[in-house]
Amino acid sequence: MKRWIVIAIVIAISSLLPLALDARGYWIRVLALTLLFAAMAQAWNIVGGLANQLSLGHAAFFGIGAYTSTILLVKFGITPWLGMLAGGALGALAALAIAIPTMPLRGHYFALATLAFSEVMRVIANVWTSLTGGPGGLSVPFLPPSLSAYSFKLLRPHAYIALIALIVVTLIFEIIRRSAMGYRLRAIKEDSAAAEVIGINTTKVKMQAAVLSGALMAMLGTLYAQIAVFFDPDTVFGVASISIRVALITIIGGVGTAIGPILGAFFIIPLEEVMNELLSSRAAGLSQLVFGIILIAVILWRPRGFVTVIKPTGRASL
């Protein structure tokens, strides 16, 4: 019950904050990105949390989604809403393509394989200049403001769309967690060999989770493109800025739980912005140093994530 109370509070605050913040200001953009990264971490949580597959390649799906919707808009005038669906389909195909050879791998071997896939996608985006703009990046053209065109003068609608995305992805995660597929994934997480002994096709179940997670991640890439307006390969295919960040958000909040990615995102994204705001002008690297020290202290304090603050003995039930 506590987790739903916390989630309801987060939704209520996130619904009211855009009305209180400057609709063109810096902090409403931070709020939109916080909600978006919470949704991204929730998508990663399907594979990383339920199946215990530490993916460092989710930036690949995210970048595919951002580029697909933007290229369709720039070259063919297709609305980003349809581009989001196309990006999700391509993200699912890419996730299936990488899952077939890598899902039998475990631990750091799986992490390194997925990381390499993300880097390959970044290199392709950098050299395929005619399609992606190369290192120069892509700009999302400004259209007359309308919901159908996914174009707005203010950042407030973006914050609400990111909030809706977070709610939808969280519901999908919770439905999976409570389904037969969720029980199979958690059985694999506890003991993969024992799961195979009782008849679970571990590779097939993990691939299903990977495809769904990749599709959601790609669709969320469209939201980022519309918020950021401009992006390049290093931004959307970045291992540190996307893959590691969503994994860190989930681990800090509570891996394998519905509330964990939300708690992690509302801690890490605003904290990072505050550190940059206060310390970046004082000394080079000082903000990153302090940010890293705080993260280490939090991990030492709550090694199983912030969910243990809500329920000290809590595990995946949250």
Side-chain angles (χ1 to χ4, degrees):
M1 181 60 74
K2 286 183 179 178
R3 60 178 168 153
W4 293 113
I5 294 174
V6 174
I7 289 175
I9 291 172
V10 170
I11 292 173
I13 293 174
S14 301
S15 302
L16 296 174
L17 266 180
L19 301 175
L21 297 172
D22 180 0
R24 298 178 185 272
Y26 171 73
W27 287 108
I28 197 168
R29 185 176 186 278
V30 173
L31 174 64
L33 290 176
T34 300
L35 294 165
L36 178 59
F37 269 94
M40 291 159 60
Q42 199 72 278
W44 183 89
N45 204 19
I46 295 171
V47 171
L50 294 180
N52 199 29
Q53 293 287 100
L54 183 60
S55 169
L56 296 181
H58 267 53
F61 315 128
F62 183 74
I64 287 171
Y67 271 105
T68 300
S69 62
T70 305
I71 290 170
L72 288 176
L73 175 61
V74 171
K75 293 188 179 296
F76 304 102
I78 296 175
T79 173
W81 295 112
L82 293 178
M84 182 190 301
L85 299 178
L90 286 179
L93 288 175
L96 179 62
I98 188 63
I100 290 173
T102 60
M103 273 303 164
L105 302 176
R106 296 177 183 175
H108 51 275
Y109 296 106
F110 177 79
L112 289 174
T114 53
L115 186 151
F117 176 65
S118 179
E119 277 299 287
V120 168
M121 293 304 300
R122 188 182 67 82
V123 171
I124 291 174
N126 265 312
V127 299
W128 200 350
T129 307
S130 61
L131 183 67
T132 65
L138 277 181
S139 295
V140 177
F142 182 76
L143 302 174
S146 74
L147 181 61
S148 61
Y150 201 151
S151 180
F152 310 105
K153 282 184 179 179
L154 307 176
L155 285 167
R156 188 173 292 144
H158 290 289
Y160 283 115
I161 291 173
L163 175 60
I164 293 170
L166 172 59
I167 293 171
V168 170
V169 179
T170 299
L171 288 175
I172 291 173
F173 173 84
E174 189 64 15
I175 290 170
I176 292 174
R177 193 177 73 82
R178 291 172 179 269
S179 69
M181 180 180 171
Y183 287 109
R184 294 189 186 106
L185 288 170
R186 277 179 282 167
I188 295 169
K189 178 180 180 179
E190 293 298 325
D191 192 329
S192 180
E196 290 180 356
V197 169
I198 62 174
I200 296 175
N201 186 334
T202 58
T203 300
K204 178 182 176 183
V205 175
K206 286 190 290 186
M207 284 176 58
Q208 291 172 340
V211 169
L212 179 58
S213 180
L216 291 173
M217 196 74 177
M219 294 176 78
L220 294 170
T222 297
L223 271 64
Y224 178 82
Q226 295 302 121
I227 295 173
V229 182
F230 168 81
F231 60 89
D232 59 26
D234 292 342
T235 304
V236 294
F237 288 115
V239 173
S241 59
I242 303 297
S243 295
I244 293 178
R245 185 177 291 182
V246 295
L248 183 62
I249 285 171
T250 311
I251 293 168
I252 288 283
V255 69
T257 67
I259 188 66
I262 299 172
L263 296 176
F266 271 83
F267 174 74
I268 286 181
I269 302 300
L271 175 66
E272 196 173 12
E273 296 296 334
V274 169
M275 291 295 104
N276 289 332
E277 181 86 5
L278 296 178
L279 303 176
S280 59
S281 60
R282 296 178 182 273
L286 180 60
S287 61
Q288 290 89 342
L289 174 65
V290 175
F291 180 65
I293 292 173
I294 292 174
L295 289 185
I296 292 171
V298 168
I299 291 172
L300 292 174
W301 174 52
R302 292 287 175 182
R304 281 162 48 195
F306 283 131
V307 290
T308 56
V309 175
I310 301 171
K311 186 177 180 182
T313 58
R315 290 172 62 83
S317 60
L318 285 172

